[in-house]
Amino acid sequence: MTHRFFKLAAPLGLASAGALAFSYKLFNFAFKRVDYVPETSADKQKYADLYYDYVKWYQQIPSETWYLHEMDASNRMVATYIPAKEQSLKTVIISHGYKGNRETMANFAKMYYDMGFNVLLPDDRAHGDSAGQYISFGWLDRLDYINWINSVIQRDGEQSKILLFGVSMGGATMEMLSGENLPNQVKAIVADCGYSSIEEELVYLLKEQFHLPKYPFEPLVSTINRRRLGYYLGDVSSKEQLAKNRKPILFIHGANDTYVPAEMAYENYQATKAPKQLWIVKGASHAESFWKNPAKYQHRVSMFLDTYFK
C-alpha cells in the first residue's frame, strides 16, 4: 500500500507547475459537466437530416419520465420510458455517449421500438437532466443502471426480459455493468464501440489529439479524478468487468474508428468468457456503424437476439 501511495503521489510532488496546471485543465475539459451537446464530428454531419427525423419521432412518441432519487436534487437521475406499441415484457435500456443525452439515442430508441421493445433511455450522471458535476465515464453510472434495471423489474414483474445496449461511453458503461451481479431478467448485452478502460482511452487520446505522453499527465489526471470522484483511473476497466460477465454479448465496432480504436473491441471480446459475438463494420468511423446502413445494423442485432434473447 505504501509503495502504491508513493507511486501515485510522486508525480504530484515532482511534476512542474505547468504540467499540473495543464492536467487540471485537461481534467475539467474531459470530466466536467457541460449543459449542451457538442456538435457531431464532420464525418457524421451528412446524417443530420436523418438524425433529426429520429429526434422528431422521439419528441412526438408517447412517453413517461422516470426518476431515481426524485426528491434529492443533488442525486436525481432522469430517464424517458417509451412503452412498446403492443404490451411487451421486453425492455431495452439504452446508454448514451460522452456528453450526449437520452435524446441523442433517438435512432436506437426507434429501432428497438420497431422491434417490439419497451425502451428506457436514462441521462447519465452529469448529462442532460440528471444531476452530477463530473462525468464518470461509465464507472459510477453502472450503479445507476442497476437501479434502472430494478425499476423495470418493479414495473413489469419477474417475467421481465431486459436487453442492455450502449454506444461509445454507453457501450463501455454496459461493459462495466456486465461484471456486476445482474438479475436473471437481464438476458443479453449489445455494446457498440466501447473502450477497454478509461485509462487506456485517456492515454490514447493524449497521444492522438494532444501529442502528449502518458507521464506525467495521466497519473496527474487520475489523482485529480480520485479526489473528485473517488477512484483512480487505473482501478477500473471494461476488460476486468467483462472477465466476470456471464451474459451473452454482442460487440460492434467501426473498422475506421480513430476515437476509440477497433483494437479495443478485440481486447474486450477476448476478455469475456460468456457467449459472445463480434461485428467489425467496414468503413465505419466512431459511432457510425448504425448510420452506414440502419437496416443492416438492425438485422445484425436481430440475428444476435434470435440466438440469445429468449
Side-chain angles (χ1 to χ4, degrees), residues 27 31 134-136 140 224-231:
F27 175 83
F31 291 77
Y134 296 102
I135 298 167
S136 80
L140 300 181
I224 296 166
N225 191 77
R226 173 65 175 80
R227 293 173 177 175
R228 297 288 189 272
L229 292 174
Y231 58 91

Side-chain angles (χ1 to χ4, degrees), residues 283-303:
S285 62
H286 184 66
E288 192 188 14
S289 295
F290 172 89
W291 300 105
K292 293 288 286 187
N293 190 328
K296 185 175 182 180
Y297 191 101
Q298 179 173 332
H299 176 69
R300 185 63 184 80
V301 170
S302 295
M303 288 176 57

Side-chain angles (χ1 to χ4, degrees), residues 13 15 84 87 90 108 118 173 176 188 193 206 221 229 240 242 294:
Q87 188 171 0
K90 299 190 307 179
F108 296 108
N118 307 303
T173 300
M176 293 177 187
C193 61
L206 276 173
V221 171
L229 292 174
E240 290 179 6
L242 284 163

